[in-house]
Amino acid sequence: MAVVTVLLLLLIGVPLARLIGLRGFTSIAVGPAFTLTIICGASLVLAWLGIAWTPLGVVVIACVVGLVLAGARSLTRRWRPVVAPSPARRFDAWLLTGIFVAAALITWRVVAVIQVPDNISQTFDNVFHLNAVRWVLDTGSASALEIGYMTNPDGPPAFYPSGWHGLVALAAQLTGAAVPVAINGVVLAISAFVWPVGILLLCRTLFGRSPALSLAAGVAAASVPLPLLLMDYGVLYPFQLGVALLPVALSITARLLRLPSGPDPLGALWWSVALVGVLPGIALVHPGALMAWLALSAPMALVFVVTRWHNVPSRRARTTLVAATALYLLIAAAMVYALRPPSGARGWQPEVSVNDAIVKILTAAPWYPHAPIVVATAVVAGIVWAIVARTRASVTALGMYAVAGILFVVVAAIPFPVRDLFTAPWYNNIPRIAALLLVTMVPLAAYGATVSWYAFARALRRRGGSSAAVRLAGIAAVVVLGLLAQAGPLSAMPEAQRVASASFALTDDSPLLNSDEAGLIARLDEHVPADAVIAGSPWTGTSVAYALTGRHVLMPHIQMEISDALEAVNDDLNDATPGSPVCDAIAELNVGFVLDFGSREVHGANHVFPGLTDLEDSGAVRLVDHEGDARLYEVIGCAL
């Protein structure tokens, strides 16, 4: 499943990347971001045209975009690759090793978290994500303007970023996998491929190509609990994808603003096209990821402005630069205001003091209590070496880290209304900002480890060490530090894996869907016709029956818009008798069955739907099947 997802991301995006002049590893790293833009754009276009959501439709849209890009490249007569075709750079074994190390280590962790391929995340948000994928498969629409109809069928069109759901639906269609298996396969592909490939591209963009950097970046990418954090908390699947794509957008931005030194055969025009090619996909996967790009690219813009100010002394050029900077700030402020979630969704409160927040930053432990000391040490080394070097790239890396650190202090320790001015686009939510901080730590950690190693290697050579001895020492250092970063008291990964795996475990007391309830849902198709609708409290997990079986449920999300008919069913179904008002609502909504999973709710709260309680004593329903305390009733009270 994960392999199919990776192939889907590459086979659509890489040809488009090559059409604009990207080559080698850059085209592979940028490919998934291009694919997501195609997927998000296709979801809108195909829905508008009334064409069902299928891989073929997405491929056709990609071909049309490819023809446009090919025509544009032909007109500009710039078919030169990003990297000069040098035989020495056609195959980078150290880069491949870095990617393999990161992919293998992350795969090990993610598989251990999920445990079984069809396990689901036992979290609040997953009710929506599971059912939204099923809704896309059933309706044939992955449009961000239509997916909201799942929770408000009779309401106006409402925007909801649906790129992740469209991707999972495509993966399910290509493999025939069940929705949970498709989700887990896509999550593994994002965690073990999209994230490490993207962050390695950012590290190489800022700090150049070297064997040590490739290995250090690979180990660092696998040693920060970024994918596990976003699988554990929420669950934040779309944000996880957006954050995984973020390093690619930052890499392209750095190239566009000419931050890395050296030749750039692609040119500003086509780096601009590349940026336009990735940002829409990131925005329609999760707007918070787009805002993260805006925040973390601000240091790049500042470095660019300062550099240009010194390089263009003319008054006209400087006036233009000031005007462009003012426009940039105005657009940024407008985006921060416009892309805030509703006030009711961003009410998270500070949890620590400013001093504690700073300690969490310095110890590289913004969320989990166990600090990854190896990574934190490498980050500190990176900060020191970056200050010593003071290159545009090193200052940029420091700036990104500083921006993420400031945002973390604000979200973790500063009260309203200040925090709402700065962190509202991320729901004023600590784990989301923690994820951004982890992104900025990896380049500094890789840089710190690399420069420290080269300094140590020079010292060895001065003392008479041979090249072979130095190389052996380097390999030993990577192995030892890699092991320390993955296990033991100097690592955060075992604790992150343990906590995240608890969210996926199917047990007798799982918070969303326990083993008895899952067993009953597995038999629904034996009793419930395909066109019948099942009532039940979504807080207790009954709603995931739609995603797992395809049988329709009355409330496919916990946060539903409650119509009059739906309210009548929830309030009075257990009193249904022929001719009673609730029977009109039951007939209108085609409710034929009720799932009763008791009163245990996913968040431990208590939400009572009077019409769905005390069903064992109601003459309006008949027990059809049960597993432990989980019960399936058929609605018979309206029958004449």
Side-chain angles (χ1 to χ4, degrees), residues 279-303:
L279 290 184
I282 291 175
L284 289 175
V285 164
H286 200 291
L290 176 67
M291 297 307 297
W293 165 80
L294 181 66
L296 298 184
S297 65
M300 298 182 182
L302 179 60
V303 171

Side-chain angles (χ1 to χ4, degrees), residues 194-290:
V194 178
W195 155 244
V197 167
I199 199 66
L200 259 74
L201 177 65
L202 179 58
C203 292
R204 285 161 60 92
T205 299
L206 293 175
F207 302 119
R209 303 158 180 260
S210 76
L213 181 71
S214 295
L215 291 177
V219 172
S223 301
V224 294
L226 176 60
L228 303 190
L229 166 60
L230 300 179
M231 291 173 65
D232 167 32
Y233 182 86
V235 61
L236 304 180
Y237 285 143
F239 191 62
Q240 182 195 50
L241 176 55
V243 170
L245 297 171
L246 177 60
V248 171
L250 293 172
S251 300
I252 295 173
T253 305
R255 287 289 187 183
L256 176 62
L257 297 179
R258 303 175 185 175
L259 298 182
S261 58
D264 179 17
L266 193 63
L269 171 62
W270 290 100
W271 283 121
S272 299
V273 172
L275 189 60
V276 171
V278 302
L279 290 184
I282 291 175
L284 289 175
V285 164
H286 200 291
L290 176 67

Side-chain angles (χ1 to χ4, degrees), residues 395-421:
V395 170
T396 294
L398 278 175
M400 291 192 298
Y401 177 70
V403 167
I406 292 170
L407 290 175
F408 182 80
V409 170
V410 170
V411 78
I414 305 300
F416 289 95
V418 174
R419 68 201 309 263
D420 201 49
L421 293 175

Side-chain angles (χ1 to χ4, degrees), residues 138-438:
D138 283 356
T139 63
S141 173
S143 171
L145 299 177
E146 295 185 1
I147 201 168
Y149 287 133
M150 186 185 80
T151 60
N152 188 14
D154 300 321
F159 172 81
Y160 184 89
S162 59
W164 179 87
H165 306 88
L167 173 63
V168 176
L170 291 175
Q173 290 173 329
L174 287 169
T175 62
V179 170
V181 177
I183 288 176
N184 291 333
V186 169
V187 167
L188 178 56
I190 293 167
S191 302
F193 180 76
V194 178
W195 155 244
V197 167
I199 199 66
L200 259 74
L201 177 65
L202 179 58
C203 292
R204 285 161 60 92
T205 299
L206 293 175
F207 302 119
R209 303 158 180 260
S210 76
L213 181 71
S214 295
L215 291 177
V219 172
S223 301
V224 294
L226 176 60
L228 303 190
L229 166 60
L230 300 179
M231 291 173 65
D232 167 32
Y233 182 86
V235 61
L236 304 180
Y237 285 143
F239 191 62
Q240 182 195 50
L241 176 55
V243 170
L245 297 171
L246 177 60
V248 171
L250 293 172
S251 300
I252 295 173
T253 305
R255 287 289 187 183
L256 176 62
L257 297 179
R258 303 175 185 175
L259 298 182
S261 58
D264 179 17
L266 193 63
L269 171 62
W270 290 100
W271 283 121
S272 299
V273 172
L275 189 60
V276 171
V278 302
L279 290 184
I282 291 175
L284 289 175
V285 164
H286 200 291
L290 176 67
M291 297 307 297
W293 165 80
L294 181 66
L296 298 184
S297 65
M300 298 182 182
L302 179 60
V303 171
F304 174 79
V305 168
V306 171
T307 302
R308 294 290 292 173
W309 184 268
H310 290 295
N311 292 341
V312 287
S314 72
R315 178 175 297 180
R316 176 177 295 180
R318 288 185 171 182
T319 300
T320 302
L321 191 62
V322 170
T325 303
L327 180 61
Y328 167 83
L329 294 174
L330 182 63
I331 293 174
M335 290 176 64
V336 170
Y337 179 81
L339 295 181
R340 297 179 303 169
S343 57
R346 59 179 201 266
W348 301 94
Q349 299 296 318
E351 296 183 7
V352 299
S353 67
V354 171
N355 288 340
D356 287 341
I358 293 173
V359 169
K360 287 177 176 291
I361 294 170
L362 295 178
T363 57
W367 183 247
Y368 295 107
H370 208 150
I373 301 301
V374 173
V375 175
T377 302
V379 171
V380 171
I383 293 172
V384 172
W385 288 118
I387 293 173
V388 171
R390 291 196 302 276
T391 64
R392 287 181 295 176
S394 66
V395 170
T396 294
L398 278 175
M400 291 192 298
Y401 177 70
V403 167
I406 292 170
L407 290 175
F408 182 80
V409 170
V410 170
V411 78
I414 305 300
F416 289 95
V418 174
R419 68 201 309 263
D420 201 49
L421 293 175
F422 292 96
T423 60
W426 302 281
Y427 297 80
N428 293 316
N429 184 235
I430 295 176
R432 298 172 201 261
I433 304 295
L436 304 186
L437 184 62
L438 293 175

Side-chain angles (χ1 to χ4, degrees), residues 583-594:
C583 285
D584 293 333
I586 289 172
E588 177 184 339
L589 299 175
N590 198 32
V591 177
F593 294 82
V594 183

